[in-house]
Amino acid sequence: MPALSSSSSSSSICTFLLVFLLVVRASNCAAKVTKSSRPPRQLSVNYYAKKCPQLEQLVGSVTSQQFKEAPVSGPATIRLFFHDCFVEGCDASILISTNPRSKQLAEKDAEDNKDLRVEGFQTISKAKDLVERKCPGIVSCADILAIAARDYVHLAGGPYYQVKKGRWDGKISMASRVPYNIPRANFTIDQLLKLFNSKGLTLEDLVVLSGAHTFGFAHCKQFLSRLYNYRGTKQPDPGMDPRLLKALKMSCPQFGGNSDIIAPFDVTTPFLFDHAYYGNLEAKLGLLASDQALFLDPRTKPLVQQLGKDKKRFFQAFSIAMEKMGSIGVKRGRRHGEMRRVCSMHA
């Protein structure tokens, strides 16, 4: 996402939520009626036990402070982890800055990545700086990103799960490889399944990992077509709750709107990592078309309903799915990877 100041971001979020709550209240009154292969070798929870035993505490000191100062750092970092793993594997290639002397743009500068929020990158940069001071040349940026994503899930109220480590940082970062590897806001379930299956992930992984949208925000452009021209009909998406539709239209006009305006994926508990996302889909309160599609498709609907009723099951499944996703395309050794001192620059 574009870099917004914390104050402008908070203001737009609060404005949207206020509008939505007012619309809900008014309506209530009016009607009181790249395929992944086998799991990589040598990833382990205790990978740095001897060389950097304080690693998790170091990263945790950064994530806890960032979360207090800018809560949006949480969803920003988790989204960064998703985008990293889905393109070149979980190798921190998303963190590389484009070389000004190169004609080839790096991943982070791809069109699909331009709205990744700066707070996610800042978290990893700060954590890496701290880790380098204590354990120079030992810990990969890829592992720090995986740990930080887990930390933020837990800080926001979600599960704490062990992170297996041992990833090396990737040597390749190309914007041209991003478009066909990142899910889009208007994807159908067939399109989502094709992409997830290509990464070694299942239908259940798709539904469970989509639950990360239980917190975080999206810019108007990602759901504008649902409000004004759904599937080329020149009409709103009939599958959206009318109250949500009205609130979103007030924040996101069809033409000439503020590109900085954002709306929460989860309108009920936007700052908590819980299972409310799934209940929202049942209530037609999904923000993106790809979110709401999970409830509309008979292949995914039963699991959406089950997870919406059972937070413990969602937390357990999410922990497992994150470990599985975190194993996509892992690099090992100097032949395939590198160990960066600065995450934005190749070693």
Side-chain angles (χ1 to χ4, degrees):
M1 294 183 182
L4 307 180
S5 69
S6 294
S7 58
S8 65
S9 176
S10 298
S11 175
S12 65
I13 295 165
C14 291
T15 300
F16 171 80
L17 289 174
L18 178 60
V19 169
F20 178 70
L21 290 172
L22 288 174
V23 171
V24 170
R25 191 168 298 164
S27 69
N28 285 344
C29 292
K32 254 194 175 167
V33 222
T34 325
K35 279 198 178 184
S36 170
S37 56
R38 296 183 301 274
R41 292 175 298 165
Q42 298 181 352
L43 280 188
S44 106
V45 171
N46 299 316
Y47 187 80
Y48 297 106
K50 292 183 178 179
K51 292 187 175 181
C52 192
Q54 68 273 50
L55 171 61
E56 303 236 356
Q57 288 76 23
L58 293 172
V59 176
S61 68
V62 172
T63 51
S64 59
Q65 186 63 31
Q66 280 283 110
F67 193 67
K68 291 176 185 175
E69 295 176 358
V72 76
S73 300
T77 303
I78 293 168
R79 188 177 178 210
L80 197 59
F81 187 47
F82 274 64
H83 280 231
D84 183 49
C85 291
F86 266 66
V87 178
E88 288 292 342
C90 306
D91 64 354
S93 53
I94 188 71
L95 304 177
I96 290 290
S97 295
T98 297
N99 186 333
R101 296 187 297 274
S102 172
K103 295 181 180 180
Q104 173 66 53
L105 292 177
E107 272 179 50
K108 70 183 295 184
D109 292 319
E111 191 63 36
D112 293 284
N113 285 334
K114 284 186 176 179
D115 62 352
L116 291 173
R117 290 190 64 104
V118 67
E119 290 88 350
F121 293 96
Q122 289 172 341
T123 290
I124 308 308
S125 178
K126 290 179 180 179
K128 178 63 170 175
D129 287 345
L130 181 58
V131 171
E132 281 296 309
R133 290 200 295 271
K134 302 293 185 179
C135 310
I138 300 297
V139 182
S140 69
C141 300
D143 279 340
I144 290 175
L145 178 53
I147 295 167
R150 183 278 314 279
D151 284 356
Y152 280 129
V153 168
H154 186 59
L155 285 166
Y160 183 91
Y161 53 91
Q162 295 291 333
V163 174
K164 291 184 177 180
K165 298 169 280 288
R167 303 165 185 81
W168 282 49
D169 298 324
K171 295 181 177 181
I172 298 172
S173 181
M174 298 170 61
S176 59
R177 298 190 180 184
V178 172
Y180 53 90
N181 280 305
I182 294 295
R184 299 181 182 276
N186 62 350
F187 264 16
T188 64
I189 296 300
D190 283 337
Q191 289 172 310
L192 288 169
L193 278 175
K194 182 178 179 181
L195 177 58
F196 273 64
N197 288 165
S198 75
K199 309 300 176 185
L201 300 172
T202 65
L203 181 146
E204 180 174 351
D205 295 326
L206 164 62
V207 177
V208 170
L209 290 171
S210 294
H213 281 179
T214 186
F215 73 157
F217 308 88
H219 283 88
C220 294
K221 66 179 182 180
Q222 292 180 294
F223 52 85
L224 206 63
S225 63
R226 291 193 74 198
L227 310 183
Y228 302 101
N229 188 26
Y230 181 66
R231 306 288 188 205
T233 62
K234 297 185 178 180
Q235 296 294 323
D237 182 353
M240 181 181 286
D241 182 283
R243 300 164 300 171
L244 178 61
L245 176 64
K246 184 174 181 180
L248 290 172
K249 279 189 169 183
M250 293 176 71
S251 297
C252 304
Q254 186 171 12
F255 303 107
N258 183 346
S259 61
D260 286 345
I261 294 294
I262 55 178
F265 287 116
D266 176 351
V267 296
T268 54
T269 57
F271 296 100
L272 288 178
F273 194 99
D274 55 21
H275 65 318
Y277 166 82
Y278 298 105
N280 289 342
L281 299 186
E282 290 198 61
K284 298 183 177 182
L285 294 174
L287 184 63
L288 306 183
S290 56
D291 288 325
Q292 197 59 52
L294 294 173
F295 183 73
L296 298 175
D297 193 289
R299 292 168 292 180
T300 49
K301 180 177 179 178
L303 185 54
V304 168
Q305 293 175 313
Q306 292 164 24
L307 296 176
K309 297 173 183 175
D310 192 340
K311 182 167 76 170
K312 183 178 179 181
R313 179 179 175 183
F314 168 53
F315 280 9
Q316 291 173 337
F318 188 80
S319 300
I320 294 169
M322 284 292 277
E323 178 181 330
K324 190 173 178 182
M325 187 186 77
S327 298
I328 296 173
V330 166
K331 312 297 186 294
R332 293 287 306 150
R334 297 197 180 281
R335 181 179 177 185
H336 302 290
E338 61 185 8
M339 201 62 66
R340 298 182 214 138
R341 297 288 185 129
V342 178
C343 292
S344 60
M345 298 171 57
H346 285 297

